[in-house]
Amino acid sequence: MNFRIPILKLRDTLIVSIQWELDDQTALQFQEDLLAKLHETSARGVVIDLTSIDFIDSFIAKVLGDVISMSSLMGARVVITGIQPAVAITLIELGIRLEDVMTALDLENGLDKLQLELEA
């Protein structure tokens, strides 16, 4: 059974809190859903909260990197929050750099960072 990841809109920001380990199909559906929501709402920012994710495999890491790049191409700034140590290690080991992506320890700090960036 596939679950859809909820994507919430708050002002000009989309908020995504991933609450469970992703399988390949759910990750691809999330990618499609987020890009569609960006197009539909013209949101200027995206916060993706990974606090509940303890590890990711190579495919999920690639999809996450792609989602970030695609969001940027659509004009949205992205903040990743709550990255666990194992997830950070996996991303770096796989060469997914996230150089132009802001990060924060938690969702609240991520929203604050994004708001400051969008106001600049």
Side-chain angles (χ1 to χ4, degrees):
M1 178 176 201
N2 282 6
F3 294 101
R4 287 188 114 116
I5 297 169
I7 301 171
L8 308 175
K9 184 172 186 298
L10 178 66
R11 297 186 196 91
D12 57 356
T13 300
L14 298 180
I15 302 170
V16 182
S17 182
I18 300 175
Q19 296 294 313
W20 60 87
E21 306 298 331
L22 300 178
D23 59 62
D24 294 357
Q25 189 60 40
T26 303
L28 290 172
Q29 186 65 56
F30 162 63
Q31 178 176 294
E32 288 180 29
D33 290 349
L34 180 61
L35 297 176
K37 194 80 160 181
L38 271 171
H39 179 68
E40 172 189 316
T41 64
S42 299
R44 296 178 33 208
V46 177
V47 177
I48 301 173
D49 182 44
L50 302 176
T51 302
S52 297
I53 304 300
D54 293 325
F55 65 92
I56 56 174
D57 65 23
S58 59
F59 182 77
I60 303 302
K62 181 190 178 320
V63 170
L64 181 61
D66 290 349
V67 163
I68 292 165
S69 297
M70 291 173 189
S71 297
S72 180
L73 283 172
M74 293 182 73
R77 296 286 301 167
V78 178
V79 178
I80 302 294
T81 63
I83 296 177
Q84 301 298 323
V87 173
I89 291 167
T90 301
L91 291 172
I92 296 304
E93 285 179 347
L94 294 172
I96 299 171
R97 296 285 175 214
L98 308 179
E99 291 167 358
D100 295 328
V101 178
M102 295 177 286
T103 60
L105 292 176
D106 59 36
L107 184 58
E108 183 176 3
N109 288 332
L111 285 167
D112 290 345
K113 266 189 175 183
L114 182 60
Q115 196 59 43
L116 288 172
E117 181 72 18
L118 294 178
E119 289 172 358

